[in-house]
Amino acid sequence: MVFSSAIFLLAFLPVTFILYYVLPGRMAKNVLLLLASLLFYSFGEPVFVFLMIFSVLLNYIFGLFAAKGGTKGRAAVALAAVVNIGILCVFKYTDFIIGNINMIPGIKLPFTGIVMPIGISFFTFQALSYVVDTYRDNTLVQKNFFNLLLYVSFFPQLIAGPIVRYEDIAKELYNRKADAKDIAEGFRRFIFGLAKKLIVSNAMAGVSDLVFDNFSGSQYNVVVCWLGAIFYTLHIYYDFSAYSDMAIGLGRMFGFHFRENFMHPLSAKSIQDFWRRWHISLSTWFKEYVYIPLGGNRKGSARRTLNKFIVFFLTGLWHGAGWNFVIWGMIHGITLTVEDFIKEKTGSKKDHSVIGRIYTLFIVVIAFVFFRAETFSGALAFLKGMFTGFDFASVSVLSTMITPWFIFVLAIALLFSCPLLGTVKKLTVERGGKLGRVFEAGSYAITLALLAFCLLALSTADFNPFIYFRF
């Protein structure tokens, strides 16, 4: 089940929401959310819901031992890492590994055809972080299995994040309250996310998919290739940030507060700044559970560089079982290393505004070509078109797609990729007064209009799943 579907918007969400506020007591509400979450996941993965429950059960046991500390605690954490990563590798990387082995002359192993459960990368990382955190702070240990299962399976963030650390919502599992303001703001955040997906992301996808899916060498000139890459960058940003907005909004409607996952990354002044703003929950996870344990910045520049390469190699591999994803991650890792080197040599700790934004966008767009392309060779061919395709006499495949409506949506996408709303909010709501009240009232009026528009769009739009469902 997806957020941007009629069955979710018109049946699942309203029924769950009404029952939640009708039922008395925290325990009854938690049971409802747990059952709703399992139903939500089993709607598309009826078999793999048992895998998720089994995974949570194992991590529940690991957490109990990890909280004891000492030798038993360290052993529990080590075993949890092996088991969780092992489960992830079996379902996500088995055929990738076999494919690489088959490149050795004389070896031809059969592929398994194992189907990857939706969201396994997210709920595996989330469960593993719980075990590590209970070892670091045994007061976090959860002795009620069903509460831990709710934490991992809670439907707003289950299949595409953000990756929520247990300590961030531990208290809210037992004691939370959503007043009218929380519900209203959560609803508004959800609808804005829904509109980002159905209006902006899907429009960008229509054009970028046309370019990438029909690319076969030299038939596209540099303009078409660059526009395809740029539109894909906008597509993946609005697609994933839309899901995060909806997850954060839904969580707030039920009394849970998730951290922000995107902070206008396309306005970043450097690649380092980009990763402070892009998929924050994932970059924080790798920092807390991989980079710092490897030594972080504490063991000299050479070790720091190695640690970053390891992190971005794993970051790329986390996104997909393919070398093109690894290359995407390593482009960011190499660029970060160059930035560190330049800052060390110049002694400057500031990012240059205009130049930094231009070069950051350039790197981000180029890297996303590897992310989007089906193969490594396909990515290289597309990059060649971006820099050598000067046959402007060819007919543009975009001519039928770039309509006045698309141009309008593109203008909105470019405008809201910058922190425009945050600036307006600071000048109005946070200062209070009549102007702030007008802005708030107007935002809710726009929310209702967007909801009506989205419902109309659902009746005519083709199914377009979220990109991060496959991770």
Side-chain angles (χ1 to χ4, degrees), residues 81-384:
V82 171
V83 170
N84 281 282
I85 301 303
I87 292 174
L88 186 60
C89 286
V90 167
F91 284 94
K92 189 170 183 176
Y93 302 107
T94 297
D95 282 347
F96 172 67
I97 295 171
I98 291 174
N100 282 276
I101 293 175
N102 285 344
M103 295 175 67
I104 301 173
I107 297 179
K108 193 64 177 179
L109 301 175
F111 289 101
T112 64
I114 294 176
V115 178
M116 186 183 73
I118 292 177
I120 188 172
S121 298
F122 287 95
F123 69 71
T124 299
F125 269 30
Q126 197 156 300
L128 180 56
S129 70
Y130 161 75
V131 178
V132 176
D133 287 348
T134 56
Y135 173 74
R136 294 174 175 175
D137 181 2
N138 60 12
T139 63
L140 291 174
V141 67
Q142 176 56 258
K143 296 184 178 181
N144 185 317
F145 167 72
F146 295 103
N147 280 343
L148 185 64
L149 182 59
L150 173 59
Y151 153 68
V152 174
S153 68
F154 189 34
F155 72 88
Q157 47 77 47
L158 171 59
I159 54 181
I163 302 171
V164 179
R165 292 182 64 173
Y166 178 75
E167 64 179 350
D168 289 341
I169 65 168
K171 293 181 180 179
E172 292 177 339
L173 287 170
Y174 292 97
N175 183 25
R176 61 184 178 275
K177 182 180 180 181
D179 56 21
K181 183 179 179 181
D182 284 317
I183 295 172
E185 291 187 0
F187 175 77
R188 179 176 60 182
R189 183 72 178 268
F190 174 81
I191 298 303
F192 271 92
L194 181 66
K196 284 168 69 174
K197 167 60 180 173
L198 292 177
I199 299 174
V200 181
S201 173
N202 286 1
M204 298 299 108
V207 179
S208 65
D209 287 349
L210 178 70
V211 174
F212 277 94
D213 292 343
N214 294 285
F215 181 80
S216 60
S218 61
Q219 87 278 28
Y220 291 167
N221 59 42
V222 292
V223 175
V224 176
C225 289
W226 271 101
L227 288 177
I230 291 169
F231 293 156
Y232 178 72
T233 299
L234 290 169
H235 168 40
I236 193 171
Y237 166 60
Y238 276 99
D239 194 271
F240 192 22
S241 66
Y243 194 96
S244 293
D245 284 341
M246 286 187 272
I248 292 169
L250 287 170
R252 188 160 184 180
M253 288 168 64
F254 293 103
F256 291 91
H257 295 79
F258 303 151
R259 295 187 182 186
E260 293 295 333
N261 206 26
F262 287 86
M263 296 290 287
H264 304 286
L266 299 184
S267 66
K269 300 176 183 178
S270 65
I271 294 299
Q272 186 178 46
D273 188 31
F274 176 83
W275 280 98
R276 295 191 195 104
R277 299 164 176 266
W278 175 274
H279 203 171
I280 299 169
S281 63
L282 180 66
S283 58
T284 301
W285 196 98
F286 274 110
K287 177 182 178 181
E288 291 291 329
Y289 303 109
V290 179
Y291 184 70
I292 292 177
L294 285 174
N297 300 330
R298 304 188 304 275
K299 298 185 178 181
S301 59
R303 182 61 177 272
R304 178 191 64 202
T305 299
L306 176 61
N307 293 342
K308 286 188 176 182
F309 280 166
I310 292 173
V311 165
F312 278 95
F313 176 88
L314 295 176
T315 299
L317 199 59
W318 179 89
H319 281 85
W323 288 112
N324 52 315
F325 292 105
V326 174
I327 296 299
W328 169 79
M330 294 307 294
I331 289 173
H332 284 272
I334 292 170
T335 309
L336 275 170
T337 301
V338 173
E339 287 183 358
D340 288 339
F341 177 79
I342 292 175
K343 288 180 179 180
E344 284 181 356
K345 292 301 180 181
T346 61
S348 174
K349 295 183 179 180
K350 293 183 178 180
D351 297 319
H352 296 284
S353 181
V354 177
I355 297 175
R357 284 191 171 97
I358 293 173
Y359 112 83
T360 300
L361 279 175
F362 178 81
I363 296 296
V364 168
V365 171
I366 293 296
F368 271 136
V369 171
F370 288 93
F371 199 98
R372 174 59 177 82
E374 298 294 331
T375 62
F376 176 71
S377 59
L380 291 181
F382 196 90
L383 287 174
K384 181 180 178 181

Side-chain angles (χ1 to χ4, degrees), residues 220-222 384-394:
Y220 291 167
N221 59 42
V222 292
K384 181 180 178 181
M386 292 172 68
F387 291 97
T388 63
F390 295 109
D391 181 15
F392 295 103
S394 61

